[in-house]
Amino acid sequence: MLDLKLLQKEPEVVEKALADRNSDMKVADFQAIDERRRALLGEVEVLKSERNKASAEIAKIKREGGDASELMKNTGDLGDRIKKLDLETEEAKNALNDWMMRAPNIPHSSVPVGRSEDDNVEVSRWGEPPKFDFAPREHWDIGALGKLAGGGLDFERAGKLTGSRFNVSWGWAARLERALVNFFLDTQTGEHGYTEVLPPQIVNRKTMTGTGQLPKFEEDLFKLENWEYYLIPTAEVPLTNLHADEVLEEKDLPRAYAAQTACFRSEAGSYGKDTRGLIRQHQFTKVEMVRFAHPEKSYDDLELMRSHAESLLRRLELPYRVITLCTGDMGFGATKTYDLEVWLPGQNTYREISSCSNCGDFQARRANIRFRPANGGKPEFVHTLNGSGLPIGRTMVAIIENGQQADGSFRIPEALQPYMGGVKVIGLE
């Protein structure tokens, strides 16, 4: 949520931010609602003052034995008018809150201005895409059940159990998923200083609102019928809201949490995209990173979080590049986002595998997460950050495709072999 004072005192800043984000929202609409809200509040205040004076006068007349019936009638009419204005004021407040809840965050000054992913800026690359003396295949061809010894990816049975965009992992595929989860969590907690958390994977409306999924993106969520509960699209949602309505101590910042959860996404608007394989599924597993940072240090924390995601790709020997998202491609709640894109030989291109974002105080305002300065000053909003560290399915895709061999097998990266019981290659039947 944007700062109300910023909207009122520096509307031009917000207007530019909305234009840079290609948003159709207009600050003029906010100003019209806010002006009406203020006018109603002023009118109600005047009428309540008049009513208080009249009530005092009625009491005086009655003490003196006089007739206050006419004044009492006028006071009753005044009360009816106040009730009507109170309702109108509440409607104006709700309209103002709705506008603010739907307004995207303001991009950081370092974010490139652009309209789409074509305007994103490449920052760096690591690793060389592998060269093959055969035509590289896609992961669903390599890892399909029955092609490799002891397991595989089974989209057909998943379709029978549920529908499209689901998978059943058998044998080595299930073990590879578990190995990646353990490798990621061990690295994040043992080396990068994150505290492991296992949060609920069903949350309420307030929690979804706190991180910005609601009200704007309700169609992207899976909602439980007859409940105000939702399946989480990412562990960012419960992790960030762990400290909703709390005041942290400045000395405890930054706080860093990592969680492995299932994630559920309806993929609304993505029909026809990545309908095969593990790239875009309705249910997938991911290890998420969330940080609560001091406002003066949050962009340093963003660089740190990005390095934590990059280190996982490097250890897995997966070539990747880093992209700074432009204003038109950046997520709703972010002030700045880096995407890490891993090389996929089967598609002959880089695809997103991690997104690391600084949300500034945008989520903290919605969820009311503050910290108390060490000098005893007034509590301030923290800055929240989130990043993928990493999604299991897409990492499996990258491992299978980059490690593929001419005979149809694929290599397990050295860093992952201890988690796979020493297995170096997933071979043929």
Side-chain angles (χ1 to χ4, degrees):
M1 180 182 289
L2 301 179
D3 184 354
L4 178 60
K5 291 181 180 178
L6 177 67
L7 274 160
Q8 292 172 335
K9 296 180 179 180
E10 299 181 70
E12 68 282 356
V13 173
V14 180
E15 190 69 48
K16 181 181 184 305
L18 292 173
D20 287 346
R21 278 182 165 272
N22 307 313
S23 172
D24 58 3
M25 297 186 71
K26 302 296 180 184
V27 174
D29 295 335
F30 163 84
Q31 291 173 320
I33 299 169
D34 193 35
E35 184 177 340
R36 172 161 174 74
R37 179 185 66 89
R38 292 196 202 193
L40 287 167
L41 285 171
E43 187 175 355
V44 168
E45 187 176 332
V46 169
L47 292 179
K48 286 182 177 179
S49 177
E50 290 180 9
R51 184 176 62 180
N52 291 340
K53 290 178 182 177
S55 296
E57 182 65 22
I58 290 170
K60 179 182 177 183
I61 291 172
K62 286 185 174 181
R63 282 196 304 271
E64 295 174 351
D67 182 7
S69 57
E70 185 64 26
L71 189 55
M72 289 174 66
K73 179 181 180 302
N74 293 338
T75 303
D77 293 340
L78 204 58
D80 292 340
R81 174 64 177 157
I82 289 171
K83 287 180 182 178
K84 182 176 182 298
L85 288 176
D86 279 341
L87 289 174
E88 292 180 19
T89 302
E90 190 63 26
E91 290 174 358
K93 286 181 179 179
N94 291 337
L96 193 73
N97 184 68
D98 181 69
W99 192 97
M100 294 182 69
M101 281 290 185
R102 294 179 183 276
N105 205 354
I106 295 176
H108 188 260
S109 58
S110 64
V111 174
V113 176
R115 298 192 63 81
S116 70
E117 62 181 16
D118 295 332
D119 300 310
N120 295 340
V121 176
E122 184 173 317
V123 176
S124 62
R125 293 191 182 202
W126 183 89
E128 289 293 328
K131 307 266 188 217
F132 301 102
D133 56 7
F134 57 91
R137 288 159 293 182
E138 303 217 46
H139 68 281
W140 57 76
D141 285 332
I142 302 166
L145 184 66
K147 290 197 171 184
L148 296 173
L153 307 173
D154 191 347
F155 301 106
E156 183 176 348
R157 283 192 176 88
K160 179 175 65 175
L161 294 174
T162 312
S164 62
R165 299 195 179 188
F166 290 88
N167 170 59
V168 175
S169 289
W170 294 83
W172 64 259
R175 184 168 189 176
L176 182 55
E177 288 204 32
R178 176 160 52 92
L180 285 168
V181 167
N182 289 335
F183 170 62
F184 292 160
L185 285 175
D186 285 352
T187 304
Q188 300 293 25
T189 59
E191 301 179 28
H192 298 157
Y194 290 81
T195 298
E196 184 175 351
V197 180
L198 186 58
Q201 296 172 49
I202 298 174
V203 297
N204 58 33
R205 174 170 284 272
K206 179 182 177 183
T207 298
M208 281 291 190
T209 303
T211 42
Q213 278 72 29
L214 292 177
K216 189 174 177 65
F217 301 107
E218 186 149 11
E219 68 171 4
D220 295 325
L221 305 173
F222 283 111
K223 185 177 186 295
L224 275 63
E225 188 176 6
N226 301 323
W227 292 79
E228 280 298 298
Y229 287 170
Y230 298 82
L231 302 180
I232 62 170
T234 165
E236 168 201 346
V237 176
L239 290 183
T240 302
N241 282 279
L242 285 174
H243 295 301
D245 299 316
E246 292 183 19
V247 179
L248 307 175
E249 297 299 328
E250 183 176 23
K251 65 180 177 60
D252 294 331
L253 298 178
R255 290 195 177 204
Y257 302 143
Q260 168 263 320
T261 66
C263 304
F264 304 89
R265 299 184 184 180
S266 73
E267 297 294 349
S270 66
Y271 300 108
K273 296 179 182 178
D274 301 307
T275 54
R276 296 189 68 183
L278 297 175
I279 291 290
R280 196 184 298 273
Q281 296 217 303
H282 290 309
Q283 176 185 328
F284 59 95
T285 303
K286 179 158 68 94
V287 173
E288 183 77 358
M289 304 174 287
V290 163
R291 299 180 73 89
F292 298 84
H294 192 286
E296 295 176 2
K297 300 177 181 178
S298 66
Y299 288 95
D300 292 334
D301 270 39
L302 177 60
E303 300 299 324
L304 184 63
M305 176 179 281
R306 175 187 130 190
S307 75
H308 294 159
E310 287 190 56
S311 74
L312 298 173
L313 292 172
R314 294 187 182 197
R315 295 184 191 197
L316 293 175
E317 307 161 41
L318 298 174
Y320 67 91
R321 66 178 183 175
V322 180
I323 303 293
T324 301
L325 299 192
C326 72
T327 54
D329 195 35
M330 196 163 57
F332 173 75
T335 64
K336 185 173 184 177
T337 297
Y338 291 113
D339 269 6
L340 276 58
E341 297 181 346
V342 70
W343 177 257
L344 298 184
Q347 297 186 17
N348 195 38
T349 191
Y350 288 96
R351 294 295 303 269
E352 179 204 334
I353 195 168
S354 175
S355 189
C356 298
S357 299
N358 185 354
C359 295
D361 63 8
F362 188 81
Q363 293 178 328
R365 287 182 182 279
R366 298 169 78 103
N368 190 29
I369 309 169
R370 298 173 294 163
F371 73 96
R372 183 177 291 104
N375 62 13
K378 182 181 178 181
E380 303 174 29
F381 289 109
V382 300
H383 281 193
T384 61
L385 301 92
N386 62 80
S388 306
L390 297 166
I392 306 307
R394 292 194 180 201
T395 306
M396 287 178 64
V397 172
I399 289 173
I400 291 171
E401 292 194 9
N402 282 278
Q404 64 182 293
Q405 302 184 113
D407 65 356
S409 63
F410 71 91
R411 293 175 290 101
I412 298 295
E414 185 176 348
L416 204 58
Q417 290 171 15
Y419 293 89
M420 291 289 290
V423 172
K424 297 181 179 180
V425 176
I426 302 299
L428 303 181
E429 291 280 9

